[in-house]
Amino acid sequence: MKTLTVDLGDRSYPIHIGQGLLNQPELVRPHVRGTQVMIVTNTTVAPLYLDKARALFDGFEVADVVLPDGEQYKNLDTLKLIFDALIEKRFDRKCTLVALGGGVIGDITGFAAASYQRGVNFIQIPTTLLAQVDSSVGGKTGVNHPRGKNMIGAFHQPQAVIIDTDTLDTLEDRQLSAGLAEVIKYGLIRDAEFFDYLEDHLLHLLARDKDQLAYAIERSCWNKAEVVAADEREAGQRALLNLGHTFGHAIEAGMGYGNWLHGEAIAAGMMQAGYMSKLMGDLTDDDLRRMADAFTTARLPIYPPDDMSPERFLELMAGDKKVQAGTIRLVLLKAIGKAYVTGDYPQELLLRTLQEWRKPA
Amino acid sequence: MKTLTVDLGDRSYPIHIGQGLLNQPELVRPHVRGTQVMIVTNTTVAPLYLDKARALFDGFEVADVVLPDGEQYKNLDTLKLIFDALIEKRFDRKCTLVALGGGVIGDITGFAAASYQRGVNFIQIPTTLLAQVDSSVGGKTGVNHPRGKNMIGAFHQPQAVIIDTDTLDTLEDRQLSAGLAEVIKYGLIRDAEFFDYLEDHLLHLLARDKDQLAYAIERSCWNKAEVVAADEREAGQRALLNLGHTFGHAIEAGMGYGNWLHGEAIAAGMMQAGYMSKLMGDLTDDDLRRMADAFTTARLPIYPPDDMSPERFLELMAGDKKVQAGTIRLVLLKAIGKAYVTGDYPQELLLRTLQEWRKPA
């Protein structure tokens, strides 16, 4: 087992990574403050891991709430189901919420923990690769609004994150690939050496080699933890984590939440950002080819959906959270392993990107 | 004009108190971070003060959302109306929310500001005495759940609070009295000298003497600011501010939100706490009489509703936020001006209080 610490002063917390961690109650029990534990999961994960998760908290008053599965349920109405369950069981302000599932479960449970009685304890047990390398690190929680992703939420750090790589055994291939999109992202934004490693090991990761998965998860979490520790509230550096996300969020919203997976949308979005970086004169054709090869090897899309016009992109991107007073801020690449944020680019290059980086007819 | 500062390190903020402050843009403008201002108010306050409030932000992009008036609308559905308005107008994460109204508007707008895009700026312009002395100070925000008050929320400090005592000219008598319940509370919990002052000046306050009102508001805010600065997250001392609230919340919930005003409910609740403190051997009959006289002078109820049985009280109190693992924690009085929190009292005395402190038949 590997343990990383996310260094946030008095809100620091450990991330444990390894096999069989769902059989190790000693990892989670020190992080339960009161006597009441509410496990939040979904209809896909519950049959697989809910019993194991409940057993981790043997001796506490354990309850659970099983939500419908899917990004389309990451909204205020589903959030309310968690509050209803907590109030129904008379859970007090010393209770602990446990998120057992993917990114949607982590985000919505985290926001419930941030706002139930103005804040209760929170433990994350992410069961998808995406959640393990992304949404379980950094304290961002929230739900979607019909007109924009993650528009409503809070910064709320967990007490601990438990990543049991065995849970990846039951993950659909498509979800595994979606998680690799975020893994590749860390290489692209700040860790060229990791990108080199991934070019050689993506096939091992797709084959679910546990040692390689643990390494890739650890290095991804380490990268994210470094960024978050330097910039908890996203004033600066943290925005780099959004590479491909402004494009990708537009795809997710435009196609209807849940149709394109988040990882699929940001893979195409990272290629759009890469193409624009080439137009800006920073990436080479070879860089772009390496990116496309990596995403293709990971079985991810590299082009946006055919039926989303440049105009539709612009409309949706203008509604994104990262817009500041009308300017669409983008994360672009100076090189593989070196991202930057800018609102100062020729508008024409964004338009050309939306027009030109499309699946060849 | 008087200015108090709530001392919370880098989240410190000023409270300005005086007449005509709604005509002084220089008080609010330094606290607007971006270019977009959303004023949240209700159907009662909008016709009276919305134009004035909009004029304060002349030169910014100002929008408003007018909510229905009443505690029964302090819920997730109404909160959603604020998010809808913000997203409709494409307000970004540098926007500023302004709460123009009473405690409900302050609480719900504050929670919207805490959670829109994971936190935006927030200015409070409380227009009721209750909001001026209570909900505008301390950063507690939130909405009710059908089964419990303020169950969902966040701690989110405003950038500034503007208390224009002229707004009290349009306040209904019943609302003015309800505000006085919180004013009297500060005397009871920690400021015996202020309680003495109130015994002599309640009639001036009811007659809306502006100088006396400004003094009473300032002293109330000063008391609350002291408590909050010492204990922002309600680990200890801050709980004293809940004198009468566990009983009072049960009354509000039991009678249906909006039927008893918050101030009315906690006045009766403080008398219940006072009676129990007498049973505990701490308050004298004379203390209890002074309390009852003060509330009666302020035109507030001193007895709980006839039709709420002790059993109903216990049921509702057990669901209150201040319950920890089954124990109903209460704020009681050692003396006038000296409150304490306890979960360690003879259950029988709570029962006797619920049975005996009732309106004589």
Side-chain angles (χ1 to χ4, degrees):
Chain A
M1 183 183 79
K2 311 265 190 176
T3 300
L4 279 175
T5 298
V6 182
D7 181 11
L8 296 169
D10 62 358
R11 290 184 310 289
S12 297
Y13 62 91
I15 304 173
H16 302 296
I17 305 164
Q19 290 185 253
L21 304 196
L22 278 182
N23 301 316
Q24 298 185 36
E26 67 278 14
L27 294 178
V28 294
R29 300 173 71 92
H31 301 289
V32 178
R33 185 165 54 145
T35 59
Q36 300 169 314
V37 175
M38 175 70 72
I39 302 173
V40 181
T41 188
N42 66 32
T43 49
T44 304
V45 176
L48 299 168
Y49 302 112
L50 181 54
D51 285 348
K52 269 195 161 178
R54 290 188 66 106
L56 280 179
F57 300 97
D58 195 36
F60 293 98
E61 179 189 346
V62 182
D64 60 70
V65 53
V66 180
L67 304 175
D69 183 16
E71 178 88 24
Q72 65 272 40
Y73 298 106
K74 185 177 160 181
N75 57 36
L76 287 172
D77 290 335
T78 307
L79 180 71
K80 199 160 171 296
L81 297 177
I82 304 176
F83 294 135
D84 290 346
L86 288 163
I87 288 171
E88 165 77 26
K89 297 280 179 189
R90 301 209 160 163
F91 270 39
D92 64 34
R93 62 172 63 165
K94 286 194 175 157
C95 71
T96 298
L97 267 61
V98 177
L100 174 72
V104 171
I105 288 293
D107 285 3
I108 197 167
T109 307
F111 187 40
S115 46
Y116 185 61
Q117 307 220 18
R118 301 196 187 93
V120 299
N121 271 18
F122 172 42
I123 294 171
Q124 287 197 301
I125 307 178
T127 60
T128 67
L129 181 59
L130 179 67
Q132 289 169 354
V133 300
D134 177 34
S135 51
S136 69
V137 187
K140 280 192 181 183
T141 71
V143 297
N144 299 330
H145 184 274
R147 294 178 53 178
K149 259 183 82 92
N150 296 322
M151 279 288 176
I152 302 157
F155 286 94
H156 190 64
Q157 304 296 339
Q159 269 58 51
V161 178
I162 310 294
I163 297 178
D164 185 340
T165 52
D166 287 343
T167 59
L168 298 177
D169 288 340
T170 51
L171 193 65
E172 283 175 37
D173 289 341
R174 188 179 166 198
Q175 295 282 354
L176 186 70
S177 290
L180 288 175
E182 293 281 359
V183 173
I184 295 168
K185 184 191 78 177
Y186 295 112
L188 290 173
I189 61 172
R190 67 192 306 273
D191 192 347
E193 191 183 273
F194 186 39
F195 189 82
D196 293 344
Y197 159 88
L198 289 169
E199 286 183 308
D200 293 336
H201 292 85
L202 278 168
L203 291 175
H204 301 95
L205 297 172
L206 284 170
R208 304 180 198 231
D209 176 312
K210 287 289 162 62
D211 289 337
Q212 299 302 333
L213 278 169
Y215 174 77
I217 292 167
E218 185 198 358
R219 188 140 178 174
S220 295
C221 288
W222 172 82
N223 269 296
K224 181 154 187 184
E226 275 221 334
V227 173
V228 169
D231 178 21
E232 189 180 354
R233 309 286 297 202
E234 197 166 341
Q237 193 190 151
R238 186 161 177 168
L240 301 181
L241 297 171
N242 292 319
L243 177 66
H245 280 58
T246 303
F247 296 102
H249 284 171
I251 295 173
E252 286 181 88
M255 300 304 286
Y257 291 121
N259 290 312
W260 276 52
L261 297 179
H262 176 70
E264 294 166 345
I266 66 158
M270 283 188 271
M271 287 307 303
Q272 290 175 291
Y275 186 78
M276 183 159 164
S277 303
K278 197 193 83 165
L279 296 182
M280 298 281 285
D282 293 320
L283 287 198
T284 64
D285 281 326
D286 187 58
D287 292 331
L288 206 63
R289 186 198 49 74
R290 287 177 70 197
M291 286 175 64
D293 282 355
F295 290 124
T296 305
T297 304
R299 299 179 195 143
L300 287 161
I302 59 172
Y303 296 109
D306 288 336
D307 47 352
M308 271 186 66
S309 66
E311 293 68 35
R312 182 77 176 126
F313 260 104
L314 285 176
E315 184 191 331
L316 289 162
M317 290 167 81
D320 195 83
K321 213 164 58 282
K322 284 170 287 299
V323 171
Q324 290 181 357
T327 304
I328 300 174
R329 289 170 68 79
L330 292 172
V331 186
L332 299 175
L333 295 171
K334 284 287 174 199
I336 284 178
K338 195 160 177 220
Y340 68 106
V341 183
T342 181
D344 180 25
Y345 50 80
Q347 182 70 10
E348 179 221 343
L349 296 191
L350 172 55
L351 271 173
R352 277 187 56 197
T353 298
L354 296 172
Q355 287 159 351
E356 296 173 10
W357 185 259
R358 314 201 60 101
K359 194 184 295 182
Chain B
M1 183 182 82
K2 311 265 191 177
T3 300
L4 279 175
T5 299
V6 182
D7 182 11
L8 296 168
D10 63 358
R11 289 184 311 289
S12 296
Y13 63 91
I15 305 173
H16 301 296
I17 305 164
Q19 290 184 253
L21 303 195
L22 278 182
N23 301 317
Q24 298 185 34
E26 68 276 15
L27 294 178
V28 295
R29 299 173 72 93
H31 302 289
V32 178
R33 187 167 52 146
T35 58
Q36 301 168 313
V37 175
M38 175 70 75
I39 301 172
V40 181
T41 187
N42 67 31
T43 50
T44 305
V45 176
L48 298 169
Y49 301 112
L50 181 53
D51 286 347
K52 271 196 161 182
R54 289 187 69 107
L56 280 179
F57 299 97
D58 195 35
F60 292 98
E61 181 189 345
V62 183
D64 59 71
V65 53
V66 180
L67 305 175
D69 183 16
E71 179 86 24
Q72 66 271 39
Y73 297 106
K74 184 176 160 181
N75 56 36
L76 287 172
D77 291 333
T78 307
L79 179 71
K80 201 160 169 296
L81 297 178
I82 303 177
F83 294 136
D84 290 346
L86 288 164
I87 288 171
E88 165 78 26
K89 297 280 179 188
R90 302 208 160 162
F91 270 38
D92 64 33
R93 62 172 63 164
K94 286 194 175 157
C95 71
T96 299
L97 267 62
V98 177
L100 174 71
V104 170
I105 289 292
D107 285 3
I108 197 168
T109 306
F111 187 40
S115 46
Y116 184 62
Q117 307 221 20
R118 301 194 187 96
V120 298
N121 272 18
F122 173 42
I123 293 171
Q124 288 197 301
I125 307 179
T127 60
T128 67
L129 181 60
L130 179 67
Q132 289 170 352
V133 299
D134 177 35
S135 51
S136 69
V137 187
K140 280 193 179 182
T141 72
V143 296
N144 299 329
H145 185 276
R147 292 178 53 179
K149 260 181 82 89
N150 296 322
M151 279 289 176
I152 302 156
F155 285 94
H156 191 62
Q157 304 297 339
Q159 269 57 49
V161 179
I162 310 294
I163 298 178
D164 184 340
T165 51
D166 287 343
T167 59
L168 298 177
D169 288 338
T170 51
L171 193 66
E172 283 176 38
D173 289 341
R174 188 178 165 199
Q175 295 282 354
L176 186 71
S177 290
L180 287 174
E182 292 281 358
V183 173
I184 294 167
K185 185 192 78 177
Y186 294 111
L188 289 174
I189 62 173
R190 68 192 304 273
D191 192 347
E193 191 183 274
F194 186 39
F195 189 82
D196 293 344
Y197 159 87
L198 288 169
E199 286 183 308
D200 293 336
H201 291 84
L202 278 169
L203 290 175
H204 301 95
L205 297 172
L206 284 170
R208 304 181 200 229
D209 176 313
K210 288 288 163 62
D211 290 337
Q212 298 302 332
L213 279 169
Y215 175 77
I217 292 166
E218 185 198 356
R219 188 141 180 173
S220 296
C221 287
W222 173 82
N223 269 297
K224 182 154 186 185
E226 274 220 335
V227 172
V228 169
D231 178 21
E232 190 180 352
R233 307 286 298 204
E234 196 164 344
Q237 193 192 148
R238 185 162 177 166
L240 301 183
L241 297 172
N242 291 320
L243 176 67
H245 280 57
T246 303
F247 294 102
H249 284 171
I251 294 173
E252 286 182 89
M255 299 304 286
Y257 291 122
N259 290 312
W260 276 53
L261 296 179
H262 177 67
E264 294 165 345
I266 66 157
M270 283 189 269
M271 288 306 305
Q272 289 174 293
Y275 185 80
M276 183 159 163
S277 303
K278 196 194 86 167
L279 296 182
M280 297 282 283
D282 293 319
L283 287 199
T284 64
D285 281 324
D286 186 57
D287 292 330
L288 206 63
R289 185 196 49 72
R290 287 178 68 197
M291 287 175 63
D293 283 353
F295 290 123
T296 304
T297 302
R299 299 181 197 142
L300 287 161
I302 59 172
Y303 297 109
D306 287 337
D307 46 352
M308 272 186 66
S309 66
E311 293 68 33
R312 182 77 176 126
F313 260 103
L314 285 176
E315 184 191 331
L316 288 163
M317 290 168 79
D320 194 81
K321 211 162 60 282
K322 284 168 287 296
V323 171
Q324 291 182 356
T327 303
I328 299 174
R329 289 170 67 79
L330 293 173
V331 185
L332 299 175
L333 295 171
K334 285 286 174 199
I336 285 179
K338 197 161 176 217
Y340 68 106
V341 183
T342 181
D344 180 26
Y345 50 79
Q347 183 70 13
E348 180 222 343
L349 296 192
L350 172 55
L351 271 174
R352 275 187 56 197
T353 297
L354 295 172
Q355 287 159 350
E356 295 172 11
W357 185 260
R358 310 199 65 95
K359 193 186 296 185

